[in-house]
Amino acid sequence: MRFAETYVAEDIVLQTARSLAQEVGLAAVTPGAGAVLSLLAAAGSAKAVVEIGTGTGVSGVWLLRGMRADGVLTTIDVENEHQRIARRIFQEAGFAASRTRIITGRALDVLPRLADGVYDLIFVDADATEFGACAEAALRLLRPGGVLIVNGALAGGRISDPAARDVDTITIRETVKAIRESDDWTPALIPTTAGLLAAVKR
């Protein structure tokens, strides 16, 4: 697992974004998860991407590096201060301001305002209690063949423990199960440190 997490090295921009995340008390996606985000964005030639949970820009940089050169990342977060840091990180990573659309607000308030069926990839790194609602929104927002990625899908290792009955774990468990059993998705659970649930819209 450790080798997989460090297989694709992070440059100084990502290292800076990661240390800033720690300073403000955020758990950024791991390098292994970031590499998967970049890979899936590149594999789908992603042009229109939604990120739920801007943080300090770690996952945003990984996504942008995998996207098409004319792609736009729409990134949503309730914390304006974190987004201010992320904006600077995107700039330091060499991305023009036109490559990002940074929206401050609750994802569940913002998502209904986004257009149906036009997005190539949606990355959810939000409160676990919102996973289900974000996955439902993704089904509407993604084009056929578009990819949903949810971070934290292993619930800190508690996902398969029947004794784990906290709200977050139950919600994650229900979301993972619902996507697996739905005819709308082709899913896989990728065992990065926090776990990524990836699903392609049919």
Side-chain angles (χ1 to χ4, degrees), residues 42-60:
S45 295
K47 184 178 179 182
V49 174
V50 176
E51 174 186 51
I52 299 164
T54 311
T56 57
V58 176
S59 49

Side-chain angles (χ1 to χ4, degrees), residues 25-118:
L26 292 176
V29 296
T30 61
V36 172
L37 294 180
S38 221
L39 171 86
L40 291 173
S45 295
K47 184 178 179 182
V49 174
V50 176
E51 174 186 51
I52 299 164
T54 311
T56 57
V58 176
S59 49
V61 169
W62 279 109
L63 285 164
L64 283 160
R65 286 181 175 168
M67 290 165 64
R68 283 170 41 168
D70 60 345
V72 175
L73 174 70
T74 298
T75 181
I76 305 162
D77 204 298
V78 290
E79 292 289 343
N80 182 260
E81 185 60 25
H82 297 165
Q83 288 183 322
R84 194 178 60 76
I85 296 168
R87 184 179 274 111
R88 197 174 82 231
I89 290 294
F90 297 150
Q91 189 178 1
E92 285 178 17
F95 297 108
S98 60
R99 293 288 314 277
T100 57
R101 180 168 61 147
I102 299 173
I103 302 173
T104 308
R106 281 185 68 244
L108 300 186
D109 296 332
V110 175
L111 293 173
R113 304 202 302 263
L114 301 183
D116 292 7
V118 299

Side-chain angles (χ1 to χ4, degrees), residues 21 24 34 39 58 70 89 120 122 127 176 196 200:
V24 297
L39 171 86
V58 176
D70 60 345
I89 290 294
D120 303 306
I122 294 177
D127 288 343
V176 168
L196 290 175
V200 175

